[in-house]
Amino acid sequence: MKGKLYLVATPIGNLEDITLRAIRILKEVDIIAAEDTRHTLKLLNHLNISKPLISYHRHNEEVKCDSLINKLLEGENIALVSDAGTPVISDPGEEIVKEAINNEIEVVPIPGACALVNALIASGLDSREFSFYGFLSLNKKIRMEKLKQIMTERKTSILYEAPHKIQNTLKDILNEVGDRNIVLARELTKIHEEYIRGKVSELIEKIENFKGEFIILIEGNNNILEEDFFKGWSLEQHYKFYENQGLDKKEIIKKIAKDRKVVKNEIYNYFITYNKKNEA
Ligand code: SAM
């Protein structure tokens, strides 16, 4: 009988954030494949678990994948863990999952901590729909393309970033995406856990000397509207919509005329008559 591949989530800081099921699986499997065996050994020592560890990281993923698949085919059960959080999410594992599926080996996720999910639920930003971008590429062209995509994204965008690159990435966000509302989720589940909220420009200054791990959450672009979004609205409702965004009368009339593809004067005259009627 073939073995099973378990994808086991581990804590992202606080060691209490490991599930009972994860502990049981780590105790039961034959082998643990770990992104960094020394790092995982600390967790296993804390849990009093002793198991053969095999290193499985980005740079040996292809080579190690074959030998792990062979062990699974021979009937051994393997748990895959990353340094922190959920394996495969911006961490190694996709390769072996695909190969396991190709070999009809059962893949079982063991849920637990995932940095992006926890950052999102406490961010206060729209969580109904969101886009996760992982780490931005270091390749300038690809990086700029992604940032342009984020600029027009209506959903909350979530990015991972390495601690020493956070300032640079925020500067790129400011230049390409704009001075949007963002949330920086810092050191989740650890002593210095905090959520820093504000405009990109404010946070660049604020976090200058901050250390630790960060997740960047960017509020969606609310200014991009569907064509005909105003369908069914009266002109007064249309006016109120822009007024609520802090626009002045002149700007509002210009925008309404543009939306409705009519000349500005038509809208302007309507409101003069409307105001006169209401004053009478
Ligand atoms: N697979 C992991 C997950 O989804 O939970 C993420 C691994 S990824 C290599 C590491 C990135 O996740 C960090 O650079 C940071 O952006 C984010 N991260 C992980 N743990 C974090 C924490 N405790 N607080 C804030 N960000 C964290």
Side-chain angles (χ1 to χ4, degrees):
M1 208 170 84
K2 292 173 190 170
K4 288 183 189 174
L5 174 65
Y6 295 95
L7 308 171
V8 182
T10 56
I12 54 169
N14 189 327
L15 291 183
E16 286 177 355
D17 294 332
I18 184 138
T19 68
L20 297 174
R21 185 164 171 229
I23 297 173
R24 177 174 62 76
I25 295 294
L26 291 174
K27 280 182 181 160
E28 284 176 6
V29 290
D30 302 294
I31 299 163
I32 298 173
E35 188 184 3
D36 179 341
T37 51
R38 276 177 309 175
H39 187 97
T40 300
L41 193 58
K42 284 187 203 150
L43 175 70
L44 296 180
N45 287 341
H46 172 79
L47 298 170
N48 277 325
I49 297 173
S50 170
K51 279 285 149 181
L53 279 165
I54 291 183
S55 99
Y56 181 87
H57 50 73
R58 284 247 177 276
H59 308 291
N60 69 7
E61 204 167 351
E62 262 178 55
V63 189
K64 284 291 166 79
C65 185
D66 287 348
S67 80
L68 289 174
I69 290 291
N70 284 337
K71 289 183 189 305
L72 286 158
L73 290 171
E74 283 161 14
E76 295 197 74
N77 291 314
I78 298 179
L80 176 74
V81 297
S82 59
D83 284 355
T86 299
V88 185
I89 301 295
S90 296
D91 268 335
E94 195 173 308
E95 195 70 32
I96 191 166
V97 169
K98 285 185 177 152
E99 270 314 297
I101 294 165
N102 287 343
N103 285 278
E104 294 177 356
I105 291 162
E106 200 178 334
V107 180
V108 187
I110 307 295
C114 181
L116 80 102
V117 173
N118 290 288
L120 177 67
I121 60 173
S123 69
L125 297 177
D126 192 347
S127 58
R128 284 165 299 180
E129 288 188 287
F130 60 91
S131 295
F132 174 58
Y133 288 86
F135 290 93
L136 284 178
S137 169
L138 294 179
N139 174 302
K140 197 153 185 217
K141 192 167 168 254
I142 302 173
R143 189 176 173 89
M144 291 305 141
E145 271 168 17
K146 277 279 169 251
L147 287 167
K148 284 208 166 68
Q149 201 178 324
I150 293 173
M151 200 252 289
T152 56
E153 181 61 83
R154 280 182 225 182
K155 302 169 193 165
T156 301
S157 297
I158 308 175
L159 295 170
Y160 281 165
E161 190 48 286
H164 62 286
K165 293 187 189 149
I166 190 89
Q167 283 277 351
N168 247 355
T169 297
L170 288 182
K171 284 178 193 161
D172 283 349
I173 291 173
L174 180 63
N175 290 334
E176 300 302 320
V177 180
D179 205 5
R180 212 68 86 68
N181 284 328
I182 58 167
V183 179
L184 296 177
R186 174 175 174 249
E187 292 284 272
L188 295 185
T189 79
K190 304 183 200 173
I191 297 169
H192 298 293
E193 169 166 1
E194 65 177 325
Y195 298 85
I196 315 162
R197 299 178 172 89
K199 297 270 179 213
V200 188
S201 56
E202 295 162 0
L203 298 201
I204 289 175
E205 287 191 15
K206 196 167 178 181
I207 65 150
E208 207 167 4
N209 298 313
F210 282 30
K211 295 204 164 42
E213 293 196 285
F214 288 91
I215 297 156
I216 306 169
L217 301 105
I218 307 170
E219 189 175 53
N221 189 341
N222 302 319
N223 292 325
I224 295 180
L225 300 164
E226 305 271 2
E227 218 184 322
D228 288 350
F229 66 95
F230 52 85
K231 216 172 164 188
W233 289 2
S234 66
L235 273 174
E236 291 75 45
Q237 284 170 320
H238 205 155
Y239 191 96
K240 193 91 199 131
F241 171 75
Y242 285 127
E243 192 174 50
N244 288 341
Q245 292 181 21
L247 301 187
D248 66 28
K249 193 173 163 188
K250 208 171 145 198
E251 290 168 315
I252 296 175
I253 288 178
K254 201 170 148 193
K255 275 193 166 288
I256 297 178
K258 194 171 170 221
D259 290 342
R260 296 186 179 234
K261 298 184 180 70
V262 295
V263 290
K264 268 187 298 180
N265 267 356
E266 201 175 304
I267 307 296
Y268 184 74
N269 290 338
Y270 173 86
F271 281 110
I272 288 185
T273 324
Y274 176 80
N275 287 341
K276 273 189 191 150
K277 250 198 261 162
N278 281 350
E279 279 162 18

